[in-house]
Amino acid sequence: MKKTLLSVGVILAMATSVYAGDETVTIPLEDYRAIMNRLDALQQRVETLESSPQKTLPATEVKYDKVTKDIDHIYDSLDALETKSIKNKINFGAELRVRVDGYSGKNFNTINMTNFQNNLLTGMAPSQAMGAAMTHHDKINDPNNWTNRFRINMQAQITDSLQFHGRLAMYKNWGDSDDGTSSDLLNDFNRSHRPGSSNLWVDRAYVDWVPEGSPVPVAITIGRHPSTEGPPFELRENRLRQSTYPALLFDGENDGVVVTFGLDRYTGLKESGWRFAYGKVYHSDDDNNTGSPFPFLDDEEAADSTMAATFFETEIPGMENSLVVFSYAKIWDLPFYFSGPKLYETGMANTDVGDMEIWGVHLQASDIASSGLDLFLSYGGNKSKANGNAPMGLFGLLSSDGQSDHSGYSIYTGLRYTLPLESLNMPRVGFEYNQGSQYWFSMTMGTPDIFNKLATRGNVYDAYYIQPVNKHLFFRAGYMYVDYDYTGSGQHIGAPRESNATLENYYFLMDVRF
Amino acid sequence: MNKRVIWAGGVLFLIVGFSTMVNASNLNIFLEKCGSCHKEGAEAPPVEPADKAGLVWEKYFKRDRHPGNLHSSISAVELADVLTFLKNHAADSDHPVAAVIPK
């Protein structure tokens, strides 16, 4: 408005002022008056505007200013959060399991290894020494065995192509103070409150690396692997798959490297991959020889046991939430003892006893046709190749003399059903059965049940009930009956003998995961 | 013995049949209702349940943050099923663990 007024005034001045220039402009009186009236009117409007109180900003403008400031604050907060998030390199989770077990065993023998060694030192023949160290049990009960298992799970997305996974674990009997590291002043009551050892049990620590730019999809998994509690154990564990390998064949903490080729784009099969694995089952060093200056170096006794394996797995075509795995593995130079030369006081060195092949097929389908029913069927086979070594004439590979080769097999099947009872948080019931032959052998020393049921040379019946409370907490009650047909289940040394031993295990556990 | 097996099989069949009727597949509802828009080259980018934590998904729908009028294309019951699926497979849910298979 002021600009308009000023412009008119300037024009008028230019038009009427004799002093503005050398020329004089003459306009008609009427026009002059009209201009002056217009000028007066404009002047009045300016004065009115200037005298009226200042208007406040519209409400929307105020709100806009506030939102702008809020966004600035949010950006500041996000900066802080993002910085913190980037610095938080590992995501942590935890698991706690408290379990009470009752055991009842019948018709089995135990060998006191200290007595066995002492008997050998007195000059007894090995078979005599073993017989003298052996105790037969008609029946033995332990109705009240409590354990705690605690795990810290770790995961990190290091880059788009590199992931880290880890797990630290503790697993112990309640009040367990009578192991070899305890004393009157250092035991289960104060082990975390007194200087002890630097031990920390690392269950898993590995990276998945998917190299970028590879012409074929390939992943390298290296470290201490996810090789325990594999399919179908996740059903009874009330969780998702936990291992690369089917539980019937391999279930143990394992260091190695796995190269996986993704085949989805070539085969059209979902989740299909071909894996090649290499690992060490036993490294023969000298660290249980307390007199050795280099306990971590090779003790030149048994050769290292190495394992190479290949696996093909895929989702079963047309069946969601399913899995089929074909497996083959070979282990070279299995040792007499995995734990080293226990009997070194006798002067007997550890040695390797031969090679073993293991193979199998595993089929599994979960929530079939949205029915809540999960089924699995697993088959495993093994074949030994003894190298002729037979420590003490008793402990050849799946034989006494180490002169013969043997084959074994096992089947493992079962189901789990989710009861459609929302009021009870969808509880689950399951039943499993496995049967192993006389010479069945599997690398399953790390199973969640401490009896290594899948290595059984005989029949195992296992039933359980899972009661979820929420997504983090569940209870499980179960009963397992093992009917051994042959001795030495889970052992690769010695000849399996006929057995009438049985084992009953009933338990109740609480599991919390978050 | 045979009669027992037949009875056991019959009971199992009935249980499975019954539960098939009462259990809707949340995955199918998610694929049907969300997958039509959320896919490569479509009007919305693909969405993964693991994009957010379970609680964040819950708040997302509670605060009505989904663009457009979601309620015109999906019923409240279906939305609840979708939310259940998203939460069951969210970033903070249990995930399968094995050596990775590259795609």
Side-chain angles (χ1 to χ4, degrees):
Chain A
M1 181 60 74
K2 277 185 176 177
K3 283 181 180 176
T4 310
L5 196 61
L6 195 60
S7 303
V8 173
V10 167
I11 294 167
L12 196 61
M14 288 174 67
T16 57
S17 174
V18 294
Y19 307 107
D22 295 336
E23 297 177 359
T24 301
V25 177
T26 302
I27 59 173
L29 182 61
E30 289 176 2
D31 288 352
Y32 173 76
R33 285 177 176 162
I35 290 169
M36 289 306 290
N37 289 340
R38 179 70 177 153
L39 199 57
D40 287 343
L42 288 170
Q43 181 66 33
Q44 281 176 4
R45 287 186 64 183
V46 169
E47 286 172 358
T48 304
L49 280 171
E50 285 181 346
S51 63
S52 64
Q54 290 289 319
K55 281 187 180 174
T56 55
L57 289 168
T60 51
E61 207 165 317
V62 172
K63 193 174 178 184
Y64 175 79
D65 282 348
K66 184 177 182 308
V67 169
T68 304
K69 284 176 185 170
D70 285 348
I71 288 173
D72 285 341
H73 286 308
I74 290 170
Y75 271 129
D76 290 343
S77 301
L78 277 177
D79 287 347
L81 277 174
E82 194 170 13
T83 303
K84 189 174 170 54
S85 172
I86 289 168
K87 285 172 70 181
N88 288 344
K89 304 211 179 276
I90 296 180
N91 294 317
F92 287 95
E95 302 173 29
L96 173 66
R97 170 169 292 185
V98 180
R99 174 171 169 152
V100 57
D101 281 274
Y103 310 127
S104 176
K106 292 178 184 173
N107 302 318
F108 66 97
N109 298 321
T110 54
I111 298 169
N112 184 311
M113 292 303 289
T114 304
N115 291 348
F116 177 43
Q117 182 168 265
N118 291 339
N119 293 343
L120 290 172
L121 291 170
T122 63
M124 276 187 180
S127 57
Q128 279 183 313
M130 178 162 286
M134 189 179 289
T135 305
H136 179 77
H137 304 271
D138 289 331
K139 186 173 183 180
I140 190 168
N141 286 314
D142 180 357
N144 187 30
N145 191 79
W146 291 77
T147 53
N148 278 345
R149 190 185 75 184
F150 175 63
R151 293 168 166 175
I152 299 173
N153 295 313
M154 298 170 283
Q155 185 270 339
Q157 185 77 45
I158 305 166
T159 68
D160 286 345
S161 61
L162 191 62
Q163 266 200 355
F164 166 78
H165 299 264
R167 176 187 283 168
L168 309 177
M170 176 204 80
Y171 188 19
K172 65 183 287 292
N173 288 324
W174 280 17
D176 189 353
S177 287
D178 58 358
D179 64 45
T181 63
S182 296
S183 70
D184 288 343
L185 298 178
L186 177 65
N187 50 54
D188 195 61
F189 283 106
N190 59 12
R191 208 181 283 275
S192 302
H193 292 79
R194 297 288 182 274
S197 76
S198 57
N199 284 352
L200 189 64
W201 297 112
V202 180
D203 185 349
R204 299 174 174 190
Y206 65 95
V207 291
D208 281 317
W209 176 40
V210 183
E212 294 172 32
S214 172
V216 293
V218 62
I220 298 165
T221 304
I222 189 163
R224 195 157 174 80
H225 271 242
S227 48
T228 52
E229 301 166 33
F233 272 175
E234 66 269 25
L235 300 181
R236 57 191 289 121
E237 294 299 318
N238 198 33
R239 63 195 312 178
L240 300 179
R241 180 178 179 177
Q242 292 296 302
S243 167
T244 309
Y245 316 116
L248 181 62
L249 301 182
F250 196 98
D251 193 341
E253 300 159 31
N254 182 241
D255 305 306
V257 56
V258 173
V259 178
T260 304
F261 294 95
L263 302 177
D264 284 26
R265 66 173 71 168
Y266 306 112
T267 62
L269 299 168
K270 287 183 184 174
E271 302 297 328
S272 60
W274 193 0
R275 306 183 192 276
F276 297 89
Y278 170 80
K280 279 208 177 189
V281 175
Y282 171 69
H283 173 69
S284 180
D285 63 21
D286 214 16
D287 57 7
N288 60 349
N289 180 357
T290 52
S292 172
F294 301 109
F296 41 84
L297 296 181
D298 197 315
D299 60 10
E300 298 180 347
E301 290 185 352
D304 285 0
S305 300
T306 54
M307 184 176 79
T310 185
F311 305 86
F312 171 78
E313 70 170 75
T314 181
E315 187 175 277
I316 300 170
M319 189 175 281
E320 294 283 345
N321 304 315
S322 64
L323 174 70
V324 56
V325 188
F326 297 91
S327 311
Y328 172 82
K330 183 166 184 178
I331 306 156
W332 288 269
D333 300 323
L334 278 162
F336 171 34
Y337 280 124
F338 279 115
S339 55
K342 271 185 184 170
L343 304 176
Y344 65 90
E345 284 185 21
T346 65
M348 186 184 69
N350 201 1
T351 185
D352 50 86
V353 294
D355 308 334
M356 187 78 77
E357 290 174 278
I358 302 173
W359 60 87
V361 181
H362 175 77
L363 291 158
Q364 181 174 333
S366 298
D367 196 20
I368 298 169
S370 302
S371 65
L373 181 67
D374 314 310
L375 291 172
F376 68 88
L377 174 64
S378 214
Y379 169 83
N382 67 294
K383 188 175 191 311
S384 66
K385 187 178 181 185
N387 64 7
N389 288 338
M392 292 179 278
L394 294 173
F395 300 113
L397 184 64
L398 292 182
S399 62
S400 296
D401 56 11
Q403 301 296 321
S404 53
D405 301 335
H406 297 282
S407 296
Y409 72 89
S410 180
I411 60 164
Y412 176 33
T413 186
L415 59 86
R416 185 186 71 171
Y417 180 64
T418 303
L419 298 164
L421 301 173
E422 290 191 13
S423 58
L424 288 175
N425 292 324
M426 312 294 274
R428 288 165 159 164
V429 291
F431 175 75
E432 298 182 358
Y433 167 77
N434 62 283
Q435 191 252 326
S437 70
Q438 181 177 3
Y439 292 101
W440 167 240
F441 173 75
S442 58
M443 295 293 293
T444 53
M445 299 80 169
T447 56
D449 68 289
I450 60 176
F451 299 107
N452 194 1
K453 75 166 190 170
L454 297 183
T456 299
R457 294 164 182 162
N459 298 276
V460 181
Y461 308 86
D462 192 352
Y464 59 85
Y465 172 83
I466 294 171
Q467 178 57 62
V469 176
N470 54 45
K471 64 182 285 194
H472 301 293
L473 169 65
F474 75 88
F475 294 92
R476 191 174 88 210
Y479 173 78
M480 182 169 73
Y481 178 76
V482 186
D483 183 5
Y484 293 99
D485 292 335
Y486 297 93
T487 61
S489 292
Q491 297 288 319
H492 62 289
I493 52 174
R497 313 280 182 196
E498 285 192 3
S499 170
N500 293 318
T502 61
L503 172 71
E504 286 180 277
N505 173 211
Y506 37 94
Y507 65 88
F508 181 74
L509 65 81
M510 181 201 77
D511 194 286
V512 181
R513 281 198 305 271
F514 56 95
Chain B
M1 180 65 183
N2 285 340
K3 280 187 178 177
R4 285 182 183 174
V5 172
I6 292 168
W7 269 108
V11 169
L12 184 64
F13 179 79
L14 286 174
I15 290 172
V16 171
F18 173 71
S19 60
T20 304
M21 286 187 286
V22 298
N23 278 337
S25 169
N26 295 333
L27 169 65
N28 290 340
I29 293 171
F30 172 75
L31 292 175
E32 181 191 338
K33 293 292 175 180
C34 307
S36 56
C37 298
H38 287 281
K39 59 185 176 187
E40 290 288 351
E43 59 184 289
V47 63
E48 292 285 340
D51 290 345
K52 301 181 195 298
L55 188 62
V56 179
W57 278 123
E58 202 170 310
K59 287 180 178 175
Y60 180 86
F61 287 104
K62 191 176 175 183
R63 291 171 177 165
D64 210 13
R65 287 178 56 198
H66 192 286
N69 185 8
L70 196 61
H71 302 290
S72 64
S73 57
I74 186 167
S75 72
V77 175
E78 288 169 336
L79 185 59
D81 289 340
V82 167
L83 181 58
T84 301
F85 173 78
L86 291 170
K87 286 167 68 178
N88 286 343
H89 299 83
D92 59 335
S93 65
D94 206 3
H95 284 84
V97 180
V100 70
I101 297 177
K103 303 299 176 190

